[in-house]
Amino acid sequence: MSKIMLEVNGLTTKYITRYNESVYAVNDVSFQVEEGKSVGIAGESGCGKSTLALSLMGYYFPPLHYTKGDIIIDGRNISGMDPDDVRKNILGTEIAYIPQAAMNALNPTRKVIRFIEDVIWAHDPKISKKDIHDLARERFETLNLPEDTLNKYPVELSGGMKQRTVISISTILSPKVLIADEPSSALDVTSQKMVIKMIHDLMELGYIKSMIFITHELPLLYNVTDDIMVMYAGQIVERGSADQMIFDPIHPYSKGLMGSILVPEDGTRDVKITAIPGTPPNLKKPPDGCRFAERCQYVKSQCRVQNMELAGLGNGRTSRCMMSEEELREAYKNE
Amino acid sequence: MSEREICLSGTGVSKVFGFGNRKTVAVDNVDFNFYSGELVSIVGESGSGKTTLIKMLLGLTSVTEGEIQFLGKKRDIRTRSKKKEYWKDIQAIFQDPFSSYNIFSKIDSVLLDCIHMRGGRMLPKAKKIEMMEEACRFVNLKYAEMTNKYPFELSGGQMQRLMIARIFLLRPKILLADEPTSMIDACSRATILDMLLNLRNETGMTIIFITHDMGLAYYISDTVYIMERGKIVEFGSADEVILNPQADYTKRLLSDVPKIHEPWEFSKRNQTPPPQTPVEA
C-alpha cells in the first residue's frame, strides 16, 4: 500500500446566493488519492466537478464557503486554515490548480520568466534570480518546451503552447497534488495530446505526486487517469478503475454517461448513443433519498426515501445505489 | 450515385483576406458537391477555414474566387431581396447558443417569426400555436413552459434545442450546423445529435455539420470532408475516411483523438500492472 497523498473526508461546501439561500454544490465528498496515482472526475455540467476542484484548494472566496469536512494533504490538514496562510504555504507547493481557461491568466505585458519569478518569490523571497532562471530552464528542458519561451510574451505563443507554459509555471514548485480542471477543452486535438503528454511526463518524472483530472470527455479520461469517479448533484456516485468504469459501469447514472461516448473506431457507429432524460435536481432543495431517483430507469419506491451511502463492492470499487451489483447487472442484461 | 440530386456545389471556391504580402488565404480553391438529403461533416482543426467556408455558403461573406451553385443554378445573392429569398432555403445553427438570440424578444416571438417567414402570417392564431407546440414537442421542450420566457432564462442545451425547433418550423433545404454541440456537455450532445438525425430523416433536409471531433463526425455523417489550411485534403463516405484514411493529415488527426479501444502510446492503459514483489520481512 503506497502512501496516501490526498485524503478528503466528508467535505461539504456551499454557495450562498444573494437571496441568502445555500446551494450545497459539494455534499459530503470523501475519497483518497495515493502517491503516483491520478483520479478523474466525470459528470454532467452543473454536477459540482469544478466546485469540488475549487474546494480542494482550501482557499475560499465568496460566494463559495467552507462548511465542514477535512482535506488532508500528505498528513497535513489544510481545511479551516487562514486564507493568507493557505496562499503562502499551501498553494503552489502542496497543491496546484489549473483552471479551464488557464491560458488567459497570463498578463500580456510580462514575459513568461517574470511569472515564474513571481511564483517562487511569493514562497521564498530570498532565492536569487539566477537560481530561478536555472531552475526554470532545466524544468522547461525536461518537459520538451523550447527554452526561448521563457523570454517571450504570452501573445507570441499559440494556444497549446500557452496552456503548456501555464502548467509548467504552476507546477514549478513540484506540488504534491495537481488539480487540472478541463485543461485541454479549449484546444484542438493535436495540442490536446501534447498537453496531456506533458502532464503525463510531469507524473513520470515525479514533479507532481498525484493528480485529479476533471473533464466531461470520457475517452480522454480513459487515456489519462488510473481511476475514474463519477459525480452527480454534488455527490460521488461511483468510483472504480478506468477500465471498469468505461466498459463495465455499475451505477445507473454512470451507465447512462458511458452511453454517450463517441469515438472514431470501427463498430462504434452502429451503436446508438443514448442520453439520460431529464435534468439534474435543484441543489437548493435536493430531493430526499437517492438524488438520481427522478431520472433513473430502475427506480423503486424505497429509493425516494432512504439515503444511500457509498458502499464498497470489492476491488476498490464503490457505488451509491440501492440495488446490489448482481441486481443491476441482471437489469442491464434484460434490456 | 448519379441519380442523386446535387443540392449545393462549388468549384474553385477561394477566400482571401487582405492583399499584397499581408494576404491570408483562408479557403484555397475547394471543390465540393453536397447531395440533397445527405448529412455531410466538414472536419478540421482550428484555423483550417471551416467557418469561413460556412460563412461563404450562407452568403455572409463574399466569395473571392470561384462559383457556388445552388440547386443546379449559379447562386445569385447580389441584392437584399434575393438574399432574403436565399435564406429561406438555407439556415444555420451556430456554436454559441447564448449569442444566437435577440435578448429583447421572447421565445414565442422567436418561433412566430419563423412561421411568418414561411408565409404563415395570415394563419389563424390557434393554428400558429399548434405549429409552435408541434415544433417544441419535436425537440422535447414544453411549449407551455416556454411562453413568456426570454431565451437567456434557458440552459445552453435548451437554447440549442430551441434553435432546432426554429429550423423545424422553417424547413429550409439546407441546414448549416457550425459546431452546435461544442459548448454543451456530452450528455445533452447525444440529444442534440439525435434530433438532427431525426430532422434529416423526417424532412429530407441536407445537413452540413462542422466539427473538430472525429468521433462525432463518424457517428453522425454519411460523407466526411477533411480540411487542412483551407484545402480539402480528403473526402468520402464516413467509413472510408475514418476507418481507412489516406491523407497523412487525416491519419495524424485520428491518432491524436483519445480512443477507448486503442489508447495512446504513453497512456497508462498500455502498461501491464507491475509484478507484485513480496514484502520482505
Side-chain angles (χ1 to χ4, degrees):
Chain A
M1 182 94 178
S2 51
K3 211 161 100 187
I4 289 164
M5 266 297 140
L6 174 70
E7 190 177 345
V8 180
N9 284 326
L11 182 68
T12 303
T13 56
K14 66 180 173 192
Y15 287 107
I16 297 182
T17 66
R18 59 183 152 159
Y19 305 114
N20 226 352
E21 298 156 322
S22 300
V23 178
Y24 291 93
V26 173
N27 202 333
D28 197 15
V29 168
S30 308
F31 64 94
Q32 294 176 338
V33 186
E34 287 169 19
E35 185 171 3
K37 295 279 177 183
S38 50
V39 171
I41 301 178
E44 277 174 293
S45 26
C47 68
K49 305 189 296 282
S50 297
T51 313
L52 177 61
L54 279 172
S55 311
L56 286 178
M57 282 197 298
Y59 186 69
Y60 303 95
F61 39 86
L64 181 63
H65 296 269
Y66 169 77
T67 311
K68 63 176 198 301
D70 299 318
I71 305 161
I72 301 160
I73 299 176
D74 202 10
R76 181 178 180 188
N77 195 336
I78 66 157
S79 52
M81 263 168 96
D82 182 50
D84 286 339
D85 212 17
V86 169
R87 200 173 169 154
K88 198 148 189 195
N89 299 320
I90 305 293
L91 297 184
T93 53
E94 304 277 312
I95 199 160
Y97 171 69
I98 311 166
Q100 208 163 8
M103 47 192 181
N104 302 339
L106 298 173
N107 182 343
T109 63
R110 310 189 80 198
K111 286 181 179 168
V112 171
I113 184 74
R114 296 284 107 77
F115 299 107
I116 299 179
E117 287 171 2
D118 271 0
V119 171
I120 296 179
W121 281 338
H123 291 89
D124 187 358
K126 291 193 199 76
I127 296 180
S128 75
K129 215 168 189 175
K130 191 177 168 295
D131 288 348
I132 295 176
H133 285 225
D134 287 344
L135 174 70
R137 212 167 296 133
E138 192 202 317
R139 181 63 67 87
F140 271 52
E141 209 170 286
T142 46
L143 295 175
N144 294 322
L145 283 163
E147 206 187 294
D148 59 345
T149 318
L150 285 171
N151 281 314
K152 277 188 176 165
Y153 289 98
V155 284
E156 295 175 85
L157 306 172
S158 69
M161 271 302 286
K162 258 193 241 174
Q163 192 78 7
R164 285 193 293 163
T165 310
V166 169
I167 294 172
S168 44
I169 294 172
S170 52
T171 57
I172 196 103
L173 292 164
S174 310
K176 289 178 179 141
V177 182
L178 175 72
I179 301 170
D181 186 359
E182 308 220 14
S184 62
S185 63
L187 307 172
D188 54 48
V189 284
T190 313
S191 347
Q192 168 173 293
K193 193 177 178 183
M194 285 159 95
V195 167
I196 299 301
K197 177 87 172 65
M198 201 181 105
I199 292 178
H200 178 78
D201 289 349
L202 279 168
M203 286 283 283
E204 290 283 284
L205 296 166
Y207 290 136
I208 51 175
K209 301 280 192 307
S210 55
M211 178 173 66
I212 291 175
F213 195 95
I214 296 174
T215 180
H216 60 246
E217 217 178 301
L218 294 158
L220 181 63
L221 218 46
Y222 178 72
N223 276 279
V224 179
T225 59
D226 296 304
D227 279 14
I228 294 179
M229 289 197 298
V230 173
M231 268 189 94
Y232 183 73
Q235 296 176 322
I236 291 170
V237 295
E238 191 178 354
R239 176 173 174 172
S241 75
D243 278 310
Q244 290 170 337
M245 292 296 286
I246 297 284
F247 295 110
D248 179 31
I250 288 178
H251 193 277
Y253 179 68
S254 323
K255 179 96 182 156
L257 269 189
M258 304 310 156
S260 66
I261 295 180
L262 283 175
V263 281
E265 285 173 298
D266 199 1
T268 52
R269 206 173 174 210
D270 315 317
V271 185
K272 200 163 157 43
I273 52 168
T274 48
I276 309 168
T279 47
N282 187 345
L283 289 178
K284 274 181 210 163
K285 280 189 239 109
D288 288 337
C290 175
R291 297 189 169 190
F292 187 58
E294 217 39 59
R295 300 168 74 186
C296 185
Q297 294 180 48
Y298 313 103
V299 64
K300 292 173 180 167
S301 56
Q302 213 183 346
C303 292
R304 297 182 202 272
V305 194
Q306 192 179 330
N307 266 319
M308 271 313 288
E309 294 299 319
L310 269 179
L313 301 174
N315 266 339
R317 285 192 88 166
T318 47
S319 164
R320 192 191 287 268
C321 187
M322 206 73 178
M323 292 161 84
S324 69
E325 192 183 338
E326 290 75 39
E327 280 174 336
L328 282 167
R329 278 189 205 287
E330 199 59 39
Y332 297 148
K333 222 183 279 170
N334 293 338
E335 262 179 37
Chain B
M1 283 284 203
S2 57
E3 65 262 42
R4 284 195 300 168
E5 187 194 352
I6 293 180
C7 195
L8 193 67
S9 66
T11 37
V13 176
S14 303
K15 176 75 191 175
V16 182
F17 291 111
F19 56 88
N21 48 15
R22 291 195 166 197
K23 196 161 79 170
T24 312
V25 183
V27 177
D28 191 3
N29 196 8
V30 299
D31 301 324
F32 50 85
N33 287 317
F34 300 143
Y35 297 92
S36 33
E38 196 180 32
L39 220 159
V40 190
S41 287
I42 302 176
V43 185
E45 283 180 290
S46 27
S48 59
K50 307 180 300 257
T51 304
T52 312
L53 181 64
I54 280 292
K55 281 187 174 165
M56 284 195 289
L57 293 181
L58 263 177
L60 295 178
T61 44
S62 60
V63 179
T64 313
E65 235 175 278
E67 192 180 281
I68 294 177
Q69 289 193 323
F70 178 59
L71 297 176
K73 286 196 286 285
K74 188 171 183 288
R75 184 180 73 163
D76 184 10
I77 47 165
R78 276 169 299 180
T79 62
R80 180 85 192 149
S81 58
K82 277 177 183 158
K83 241 182 200 175
K84 273 199 162 165
E85 203 58 35
Y86 178 61
W87 284 336
K88 277 185 185 167
D89 289 329
I90 188 157
Q91 280 286 329
I93 303 178
F94 291 103
Q95 187 172 4
D96 185 0
F98 299 92
S99 61
S100 306
Y101 292 99
N102 181 351
I103 54 164
F104 296 111
S105 56
K106 286 186 179 163
I107 290 168
D108 318 36
S109 66
V110 169
L111 293 176
L112 261 183
D113 274 351
C114 303
I115 297 177
H116 292 172
M117 208 170 147
R118 295 295 299 173
R121 198 173 282 277
M122 304 309 282
L123 286 173
K125 198 173 177 201
K127 173 78 184 155
K128 282 182 192 170
I129 289 178
E130 192 188 304
M131 284 167 84
M132 288 195 279
E133 270 172 352
E134 193 197 345
C136 284
R137 216 177 305 126
F138 182 77
V139 294
N140 265 332
L141 292 172
K142 289 194 183 76
Y143 176 72
E145 286 173 16
M146 292 293 124
T147 47
N148 263 325
K149 262 192 185 171
Y150 286 97
F152 55 78
E153 293 174 61
L154 303 180
S155 73
Q158 284 177 322
M159 276 194 203
Q160 212 61 295
R161 262 143 66 190
L162 188 66
M163 212 67 196
I164 297 177
R166 277 193 65 232
I167 304 298
F168 182 79
L169 283 174
L170 283 167
R171 309 260 168 154
K173 289 199 176 65
I174 300 168
L175 169 64
L176 302 172
D178 187 357
E179 306 220 16
T181 58
S182 69
M183 289 188 68
I184 45 186
D185 68 288
C187 213
S188 354
R189 186 174 70 181
T191 334
I192 302 267
L193 293 183
D194 270 350
M195 275 166 198
L196 285 176
L197 281 172
N198 278 346
L199 193 66
R200 197 272 304 258
N201 294 342
E202 256 183 47
T203 61
M205 198 178 281
T206 309
I207 299 182
I208 301 166
F209 199 92
I210 294 202
T211 179
H212 61 259
D213 187 337
M214 289 289 222
L216 203 160
Y218 180 55
Y219 176 73
I220 198 173
S221 45
D222 305 322
T223 311
V224 177
Y225 283 74
I226 310 279
M227 272 186 94
E228 183 198 10
R229 289 163 183 260
K231 283 196 173 69
I232 288 174
V233 290
E234 190 168 1
F235 72 94
S237 77
D239 284 314
E240 272 171 39
V241 174
I242 305 286
L243 300 182
N244 189 14
Q246 299 300 318
D248 293 339
Y249 180 72
T250 323
K251 284 179 192 162
R252 206 197 79 213
L253 269 187
L254 275 167
S255 76
D256 288 350
V257 177
K259 300 190 198 79
I260 59 170
H261 293 290
E262 34 178 308
W264 285 334
E265 59 280 1
F266 57 80
S267 166
K268 287 184 177 173
R269 298 287 86 73
N270 289 330
Q271 296 165 8
T272 45
Q276 294 285 318
T277 45
V279 185
E280 282 169 47

mmCIF file of all heavy atoms in Angstrom, chain A residues 184-193, chain B residues 44-47 212 252:
data_model
loop_
_atom_site.group_PDB
_atom_site.id
_atom_site.type_symbol
_atom_site.label_atom_id
_atom_site.label_comp_id
_atom_site.label_asym_id
_atom_site.label_seq_id
_atom_site.Cartn_x
_atom_site.Cartn_y
_atom_site.Cartn_z
ATOM 1 N N SER A 184 -7.675 20.921 -21.250
ATOM 2 C CA SER A 184 -7.495 20.835 -22.701
ATOM 3 C C SER A 184 -8.783 21.050 -23.473
ATOM 4 O O SER A 184 -8.828 20.821 -24.669
ATOM 5 C CB SER A 184 -6.912 19.470 -23.049
ATOM 6 O OG SER A 184 -7.804 18.468 -22.657
ATOM 7 N N SER A 185 -9.850 21.511 -22.805
ATOM 8 C CA SER A 185 -11.125 21.540 -23.531
ATOM 9 C C SER A 185 -11.194 22.667 -24.557
ATOM 10 O O SER A 185 -11.991 22.617 -25.469
ATOM 11 C CB SER A 185 -12.294 21.642 -22.559
ATOM 12 O OG SER A 185 -12.209 22.842 -21.846
ATOM 13 N N ALA A 186 -10.332 23.687 -24.439
ATOM 14 C CA ALA A 186 -10.396 24.782 -25.403
ATOM 15 C C ALA A 186 -9.424 24.566 -26.564
ATOM 16 O O ALA A 186 -9.273 25.422 -27.403
ATOM 17 C CB ALA A 186 -10.094 26.103 -24.710
ATOM 18 N N LEU A 187 -8.747 23.426 -26.596
ATOM 19 C CA LEU A 187 -7.696 23.205 -27.590
ATOM 20 C C LEU A 187 -8.153 22.202 -28.642
ATOM 21 O O LEU A 187 -9.044 21.403 -28.405
ATOM 22 C CB LEU A 187 -6.445 22.665 -26.904
ATOM 23 C CG LEU A 187 -5.937 23.486 -25.723
ATOM 24 C CD1 LEU A 187 -4.836 22.738 -25.024
ATOM 25 C CD2 LEU A 187 -5.437 24.821 -26.192
ATOM 26 N N ASP A 188 -7.472 22.218 -29.796
ATOM 27 C CA ASP A 188 -7.798 21.192 -30.782
ATOM 28 C C ASP A 188 -7.027 19.904 -30.456
ATOM 29 O O ASP A 188 -6.163 19.889 -29.584
ATOM 30 C CB ASP A 188 -7.556 21.675 -32.213
ATOM 31 C CG ASP A 188 -6.168 22.190 -32.418
ATOM 32 O OD1 ASP A 188 -5.243 21.494 -32.001
ATOM 33 O OD2 ASP A 188 -6.017 23.284 -32.986
ATOM 34 N N VAL A 189 -7.365 18.842 -31.167
ATOM 35 C CA VAL A 189 -6.905 17.521 -30.731
ATOM 36 C C VAL A 189 -5.389 17.396 -30.648
ATOM 37 O O VAL A 189 -4.860 16.749 -29.747
ATOM 38 C CB VAL A 189 -7.475 16.391 -31.614
ATOM 39 C CG1 VAL A 189 -8.913 16.150 -31.266
ATOM 40 C CG2 VAL A 189 -7.295 16.655 -33.069
ATOM 41 N N THR A 190 -4.667 18.037 -31.575
ATOM 42 C CA THR A 190 -3.217 17.872 -31.576
ATOM 43 C C THR A 190 -2.585 18.540 -30.355
ATOM 44 O O THR A 190 -1.753 17.939 -29.680
ATOM 45 C CB THR A 190 -2.625 18.445 -32.874
ATOM 46 O OG1 THR A 190 -3.394 17.952 -33.952
ATOM 47 C CG2 THR A 190 -1.215 18.039 -33.056
ATOM 48 N N SER A 191 -3.015 19.781 -30.063
ATOM 49 C CA SER A 191 -2.454 20.437 -28.880
ATOM 50 C C SER A 191 -2.927 19.741 -27.616
ATOM 51 O O SER A 191 -2.200 19.689 -26.626
ATOM 52 C CB SER A 191 -2.829 21.910 -28.804
ATOM 53 O OG SER A 191 -3.356 22.393 -29.973
ATOM 54 N N GLN A 192 -4.148 19.209 -27.659
ATOM 55 C CA GLN A 192 -4.655 18.477 -26.500
ATOM 56 C C GLN A 192 -3.739 17.314 -26.166
ATOM 57 O O GLN A 192 -3.367 17.101 -25.017
ATOM 58 C CB GLN A 192 -6.055 17.966 -26.797
ATOM 59 C CG GLN A 192 -6.563 16.958 -25.804
ATOM 60 C CD GLN A 192 -8.014 16.621 -26.041
ATOM 61 O OE1 GLN A 192 -8.887 17.447 -25.865
ATOM 62 N NE2 GLN A 192 -8.270 15.406 -26.461
ATOM 63 N N LYS A 193 -3.333 16.589 -27.206
ATOM 64 C CA LYS A 193 -2.481 15.437 -26.955
ATOM 65 C C LYS A 193 -1.141 15.877 -26.371
ATOM 66 O O LYS A 193 -0.595 15.220 -25.481
ATOM 67 C CB LYS A 193 -2.259 14.670 -28.256
ATOM 68 C CG LYS A 193 -1.651 13.314 -28.009
ATOM 69 C CD LYS A 193 -1.507 12.531 -29.290
ATOM 70 C CE LYS A 193 -0.855 11.195 -29.022
ATOM 71 N NZ LYS A 193 -0.639 10.457 -30.254
ATOM 72 N N GLY B 44 -11.925 19.600 -39.357
ATOM 73 C CA GLY B 44 -10.620 20.234 -39.453
ATOM 74 C C GLY B 44 -10.265 20.855 -38.123
ATOM 75 O O GLY B 44 -11.130 21.016 -37.263
ATOM 76 N N GLU B 45 -8.984 21.183 -37.967
ATOM 77 C CA GLU B 45 -8.565 21.816 -36.723
ATOM 78 C C GLU B 45 -8.968 23.276 -36.738
ATOM 79 O O GLU B 45 -9.450 23.791 -37.740
ATOM 80 C CB GLU B 45 -7.053 21.702 -36.580
ATOM 81 C CG GLU B 45 -6.608 20.337 -36.160
ATOM 82 C CD GLU B 45 -5.115 20.297 -36.034
ATOM 83 O OE1 GLU B 45 -4.442 20.353 -37.055
ATOM 84 O OE2 GLU B 45 -4.635 20.224 -34.914
ATOM 85 N N SER B 46 -8.691 23.979 -35.636
ATOM 86 C CA SER B 46 -8.982 25.409 -35.642
ATOM 87 C C SER B 46 -8.055 26.081 -36.647
ATOM 88 O O SER B 46 -6.888 25.730 -36.767
ATOM 89 C CB SER B 46 -8.800 26.006 -34.255
ATOM 90 O OG SER B 46 -7.872 25.293 -33.513
ATOM 91 N N GLY B 47 -8.606 27.028 -37.390
ATOM 92 C CA GLY B 47 -7.812 27.734 -38.377
ATOM 93 C C GLY B 47 -7.752 27.044 -39.722
ATOM 94 O O GLY B 47 -7.001 27.446 -40.592
ATOM 95 N N HIS B 212 -14.798 19.564 -35.016
ATOM 96 C CA HIS B 212 -13.403 19.152 -34.972
ATOM 97 C C HIS B 212 -13.299 17.788 -34.305
ATOM 98 O O HIS B 212 -12.222 17.273 -34.099
ATOM 99 C CB HIS B 212 -12.548 20.194 -34.247
ATOM 100 C CG HIS B 212 -12.968 20.408 -32.824
ATOM 101 N ND1 HIS B 212 -13.720 21.480 -32.437
ATOM 102 C CD2 HIS B 212 -12.758 19.680 -31.726
ATOM 103 C CE1 HIS B 212 -13.960 21.382 -31.152
ATOM 104 N NE2 HIS B 212 -13.395 20.302 -30.683
ATOM 105 N N ARG B 252 -2.925 11.692 -38.969
ATOM 106 C CA ARG B 252 -2.402 12.346 -37.777
ATOM 107 C C ARG B 252 -3.540 12.755 -36.846
ATOM 108 O O ARG B 252 -3.490 12.517 -35.640
ATOM 109 C CB ARG B 252 -1.595 13.583 -38.174
ATOM 110 C CG ARG B 252 -0.539 13.943 -37.157
ATOM 111 C CD ARG B 252 -0.064 15.361 -37.351
ATOM 112 N NE ARG B 252 -1.007 16.289 -36.781
ATOM 113 C CZ ARG B 252 -1.243 17.504 -37.270
ATOM 114 N NH1 ARG B 252 -0.632 17.914 -38.346
ATOM 115 N NH2 ARG B 252 -2.104 18.292 -36.686
#
